[in-house]
Amino acid sequence: MADRKSRLKRKLNGRYIAWQASYALVNTLPFLRAPLNFFGRAVSAATLPEAEIIQTSTRHSTPFTDAQQAFIRDACGDDKGRYLSAPPPDYWAGDVTVSVRYALLQEATFYAHAGSIADKSRGVIVSDTPERPNWNHDKIRFRTQKTRAQAALSIPVRRYTNYSHFLFDYALPVIRFLQENPERRQGAAFYLVEGQPAFVHILITKVASHFGMSVHEIPRNAQLTAPLMLQYEVEAPCSTWTCATPELAATVRQILLGSGPVENNAPWRKVYLHRDGAKWRNLDNATEIRHFMQAQGFEVFTPQQDNFLDQVQLMSETSVLVSAHGAALTNLLFMPVGGHVIEFFPEDFAISCYLSAARFAGHAHASVCGINTGGRQNYAIAEPALQSVIEQFLDSA
């Protein structure tokens, strides 16, 4: 019953209705697609005959522990079909391949207002999820600022607000492409949509400098057309798998920190990331847990957009990381291989995205489920349960 209600609620969503109306309009009168800057139909880059496809694959062989298997099966929800409910036969053994398909698109157009790349000649969006509604195009735009890219290869950077999605879903695949295809870097440029958070500006600037590329900022209503444009699609068993590896994580640390820490030196810090004031999943006993973690010998750090490089430096020296579930856990990417990660969850909300990311980056992972205390999935963590997990981790660290 609850599932039927949620489906009905999604059907009555204003964005969904607007998208359906716009989609019906441009399908009925397709000549309106270009002047309205709306492309409702999405296709995979592999279906475009002019696209040059470069495929890379990474095989992850680290198995799940018994505790991790139980956590995923018993605690992780199959929310709206986004998470893995029927794993392939070798899933628990860690025998999983994550592939990234890079497409070099000729005369493609990037629409900054939607964060999408379109093939205007065919009237389609190039997307890794062609079967889903293209929510970014839910609003018709009557006016865009047309720009012609001069770079040999243009790499658009749409506007990001989420730290985790930017690093795992954008930065890692793009850095991997630039690392593995040095001949494509000559004359290449990032096109950065204005209004980005500080962490996006910092990382893109440093990546461009590292690979000898340029960075250009474009307005939020830009319509950027380029002779050659990069688009990519990640193929994995479920949404929680990324292309992160210990080697790729080390490359990102080197790019951000310059010479960085000596990788042969063992990390020594124990860090608790204090998360407070979020819209969802607030820790109601955050003050008590902060004091508890300090008593356990942990440093307390509050991640903010303006201390991004401080976060990277701190994580590069961290052996044990504790945090509530949230984007701040993306920082595990910057820990040297062999770290230990402890993650808090509300009892009715648990997903395995950071568990998978931790395993790919070469870290151990444990979870602590809290007790629900109110709306918006607020919860509290019992100190004895947390202390038990910490003690087990410190014994093995």
Side-chain angles (χ1 to χ4, degrees), residues 23 83 87 112 120 130 133 154 206 228 257 280 296 317 327 333 336-337 353 373 379 392:
Y23 185 60
Y83 308 114
K120 292 177 65 176
S154 300
K206 285 187 172 289
L228 201 63
L257 298 177
W280 288 87
Q296 297 287 321
E317 301 165 351
L333 177 69
V337 66
C353 54
T373 57
Y379 65 109
Q392 293 177 28

Side-chain angles (χ1 to χ4, degrees), residues 282-352:
N282 265 319
L283 196 60
D284 280 350
N285 62 338
T287 301
E288 291 82 354
I289 292 298
R290 183 177 70 246
H291 294 158
F292 172 80
M293 297 303 297
Q294 288 174 321
Q296 297 287 321
F298 281 75
E299 301 176 57
V300 177
F301 184 83
T302 302
Q304 303 288 348
Q305 287 192 7
D306 58 358
N307 62 14
F308 172 55
L309 289 181
D310 293 337
Q311 295 175 51
V312 179
Q313 181 67 55
L314 178 66
M315 292 299 106
S316 71
E317 301 165 351
T318 296
S319 62
V320 183
L321 175 66
V322 180
S323 174
H325 175 81
L329 269 168
T330 307
N331 283 305
L332 64 85
L333 177 69
F334 307 123
M335 296 169 60
V337 66
H340 293 71
V341 179
I342 300 175
E343 183 176 7
F344 305 159
F345 289 101
E347 60 184 332
D348 63 346
F349 179 91
I351 59 177
S352 59

Side-chain angles (χ1 to χ4, degrees), residues 216-235:
H216 307 279
E217 191 168 74
I218 57 177
R220 297 185 187 187
N221 65 338
Q223 184 185 135
L224 176 72
T225 302
L228 201 63
M229 186 174 289
L230 178 68
Q231 192 264 359
Y232 61 90
E233 302 167 358
V234 178
E235 297 180 340

Side-chain angles (χ1 to χ4, degrees), residues 172-185:
L172 290 184
V174 169
I175 290 172
R176 179 170 178 174
F177 173 83
L178 295 172
Q179 189 177 28
E180 295 179 351
N181 298 275
E183 73 283 359
R184 299 292 184 181
R185 302 197 296 253

Side-chain angles (χ1 to χ4, degrees), residues 52-256:
E52 179 185 350
I53 304 297
I54 300 174
Q55 186 96 7
T56 63
S57 296
T58 301
R59 181 175 174 270
H60 296 283
S61 57
T62 305
F64 286 94
T65 65
D66 291 342
Q68 290 170 345
Q69 291 184 41
F71 168 71
I72 292 175
R73 281 192 297 244
D74 301 338
C76 291
D78 188 19
D79 179 26
K80 300 179 184 177
R82 293 171 60 204
Y83 308 114
L84 197 63
S85 56
D90 296 327
Y91 178 79
W92 301 117
D95 189 8
V96 174
T97 298
V98 177
S99 298
V100 183
R101 180 194 297 122
Y102 299 97
L104 302 177
L105 306 173
Q106 298 181 21
E107 290 301 320
T109 301
F110 172 68
Y111 286 84
H113 76 270
S116 301
I117 296 175
D119 183 331
K120 292 177 65 176
S121 64
R122 290 179 172 80
V124 296
I125 292 294
V126 185
S127 172
D128 60 346
T129 53
E131 75 283 358
R132 296 181 183 175
N134 188 11
W135 292 114
N136 289 335
H137 268 284
D138 67 331
K139 293 180 181 177
I140 287 173
R141 293 295 191 280
F142 291 99
R143 186 178 180 183
T144 59
Q145 184 172 326
K146 295 183 180 180
T147 305
R148 178 74 180 180
Q150 301 302 316
L153 175 64
S154 300
I155 306 175
V157 187
R158 67 179 180 87
R159 287 184 67 224
Y160 282 91
T161 56
N162 186 284
Y163 185 54
S164 182
H165 288 305
F166 170 69
L167 280 166
F168 281 117
D169 299 342
Y170 180 85
L172 290 184
V174 169
I175 290 172
R176 179 170 178 174
F177 173 83
L178 295 172
Q179 189 177 28
E180 295 179 351
N181 298 275
E183 73 283 359
R184 299 292 184 181
R185 302 197 296 253
Q186 186 172 2
F190 286 105
Y191 284 84
L192 191 70
V193 178
E194 65 181 2
Q196 300 276 9
F199 60 82
V200 176
H201 272 281
I202 292 170
L203 190 140
I204 293 299
T205 301
K206 285 187 172 289
V207 168
S209 175
H210 180 82
F211 290 116
M213 300 166 57
S214 59
V215 180
H216 307 279
E217 191 168 74
I218 57 177
R220 297 185 187 187
N221 65 338
Q223 184 185 135
L224 176 72
T225 302
L228 201 63
M229 186 174 289
L230 178 68
Q231 192 264 359
Y232 61 90
E233 302 167 358
V234 178
E235 297 180 340
C238 71
S239 63
T240 61
W241 297 88
T242 77
C243 64
T245 62
E247 295 76 21
L248 187 55
T251 297
V252 177
R253 285 197 300 274
Q254 179 188 359
I255 290 172
L256 289 171

